[in-house]
Amino acid sequence: SNGQPVGAVPPEAPRARRRRRLTPLIEAWALPLLTVAVAAFFSLWPKTSDVFLTSANLNVLLGTQAVIAVVALGALVPLIAGQWDLSVGASAGLVAVVCAQFLSHSGNVLLAVIIGLLVGCLVGAVNALITTRAYVNAVITTLGMSTIIAGVVNQRTHGLAFFTSIPASITAFGTGTWL
């Protein structure tokens, strides 16, 4: 009826093609552009312009995001595989507790880091085995693992922050200024 053979796919409208090309671009750049817009706003807003772009504020902003960035990188691996890992935050907490307790007893930084990596790898391996060999959904597996880890951390720390007997050089490194 429109001059095309039966079963032929009509050509895409130019507007739809343009939208299809722009969508991935917008998705890729939305967060960085929003971050720049927020930074520009607080840099120019009279109530915050005097303190926002100071080295002390940038130190706090960057220093508090370092751990989150490392944990986000850990969460990226299962996301690339199309799975969700809800135990990443709890795993990071467990590794921090194990490292802090080991450091307080031995003071050996290298060994504490190795033990921390092994604990994190063990949690990941158990999650992977349950998901791939027992065929339990990754969300269920990692949610359960997160609950178990929270219990282990609570049992190890009794709900209190653990920082006594850690060598001063380590706490100075973690709280030092870089900018």
Side-chain angles (χ1 to χ4, degrees):
S1 66
N2 59 2
Q4 292 185 351
V6 176
V9 178
E12 238 182 331
R15 192 172 194 198
R17 276 194 307 257
R18 204 173 323 121
R19 186 178 308 129
R20 212 176 54 196
R21 283 191 314 246
L22 285 177
T23 300
L25 192 64
I26 291 169
E27 288 175 353
W29 288 99
L31 186 59
L33 290 175
L34 183 62
T35 302
V36 169
V38 168
F41 173 78
F42 285 110
S43 297
L44 300 173
W45 191 31
K47 291 184 179 182
T48 58
S49 63
D50 293 340
V51 293
F52 185 74
L53 282 180
T54 62
S55 63
N57 189 43
L58 291 175
N59 232 352
V60 168
L61 289 175
L62 295 175
T64 58
Q65 300 306 312
V67 173
I68 294 170
V70 170
V71 172
L73 287 173
L76 188 62
V77 175
L79 284 175
I80 290 171
Q83 300 293 323
W84 289 87
D85 187 346
L86 302 178
S87 66
V88 174
S91 298
L94 177 63
V95 167
V97 167
V98 168
C99 284
Q101 287 182 337
F102 187 80
L103 274 173
S104 71
H105 295 303
S106 75
N108 189 333
V109 177
L110 181 61
L111 202 52
V113 169
I114 290 171
I115 288 173
L117 287 171
L118 289 173
V119 167
C121 288
L122 177 66
V123 170
V126 170
N127 282 340
L129 285 172
I130 293 171
T131 302
T132 61
R133 299 296 183 240
Y135 302 105
V136 178
N137 184 299
V139 171
I140 302 301
T141 300
T142 59
L143 181 61
M145 181 61 75
S146 181
T147 303
I148 291 168
I149 291 172
V152 169
V153 166
N154 194 31
Q155 185 271 332
R156 303 273 306 175
T157 63
H158 305 291
L160 302 172
F162 191 86
F163 57 86
T164 58
S165 305
I166 295 176
S169 60
I170 300 301
T171 56
F173 176 76
T175 58
T177 57
W178 295 88
L179 293 178

